[in-house]
């Protein structure tokens, strides 16, 4: 059992403002939003990042992509939104649990990451 922050959130040990949940995926609002809509989408199973996936675990990304599409529709992000995942320390990853940021609700700058 991992003691990483997002594993604890997925297990319900740390509260979050959930916006989607099923058996394998959890989505919740970021506590430090960088846009009017800032949602984190994570697999409940721990993977450090995209780099940790193999052929058996890679399908979780397809499932997450469909959740992201669904949330973009629910949050009326049809005019556009950004999806970001950071990989490793040099990529800006601060929580080493695979996660995707959905940012939207405003016109985003090209330089905004």
């Amino acid at each position: 059992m991992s003691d990483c922050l997002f594993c604890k959130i997925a297990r319900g040990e740390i509260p979050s403002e959930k916006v989607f949940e099923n058996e394998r995926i959890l989505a919740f609002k970021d506590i430090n939003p960088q846009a009017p809509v800032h949602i984190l989408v994570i697999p409940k199973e721990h993977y450090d990042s995209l780099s940790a996936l193999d052929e058996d675990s890679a399908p979780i990304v397809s499932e997450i992509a469909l959740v992201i599409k669904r949330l973009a529709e629910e949050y009326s992000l049809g005019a556009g939104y950004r999806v970001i995942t950071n990989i490793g320390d040099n990529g800006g990853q601060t929580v080493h649990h695979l996660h995707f940021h959905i940012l939207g609700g405003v016109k985003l700058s090209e330089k905004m990451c």
Side-chain angles (χ1 to χ4, degrees), residues 9 12 16 18 23 27 37-38 41 43-44 53 56-57 61 79 86-87 90 92 98 102 107:
I9 290 172
S16 65
K18 297 176 186 177
E23 311 78 45
V37 175
H38 189 168
V41 184
K44 289 183 177 180
L53 299 178
D56 293 330
S57 56
V61 176
N86 301 316
I87 301 167
N90 285 352
L98 176 62
I102 305 170
K107 182 170 175 65

Side-chain angles (χ1 to χ4, degrees), residues 53-92:
L53 299 178
D54 59 24
E55 288 183 21
D56 293 330
S57 56
I60 193 67
V61 176
S62 296
E63 293 178 45
I64 288 172
L66 292 174
V67 169
I68 289 170
K69 179 180 182 270
R70 174 182 170 166
L71 290 169
E73 291 167 356
E74 287 179 18
Y75 282 83
S76 301
L77 300 179
Y81 58 99
R82 183 168 293 151
V83 177
I84 300 170
T85 189
N86 301 316
I87 301 167
D89 294 335
N90 285 352

Side-chain angles (χ1 to χ4, degrees), residues 1-16 18 26:
M1 184 181 308
S2 177
D3 67 346
C4 91
L5 175 66
F6 288 169
C7 286
K8 289 179 179 179
I9 290 172
R11 290 192 302 264
E13 297 170 9
I14 295 175
S16 65
K18 297 176 186 177
L26 175 66

Side-chain angles (χ1 to χ4, degrees), residues 37-51:
V37 175
H38 189 168
I39 297 169
L40 299 173
V41 184
I42 67 169
K44 289 183 177 180
E45 185 172 343
H46 183 88
Y47 304 99
D48 281 348
S49 70
L50 280 177
S51 295

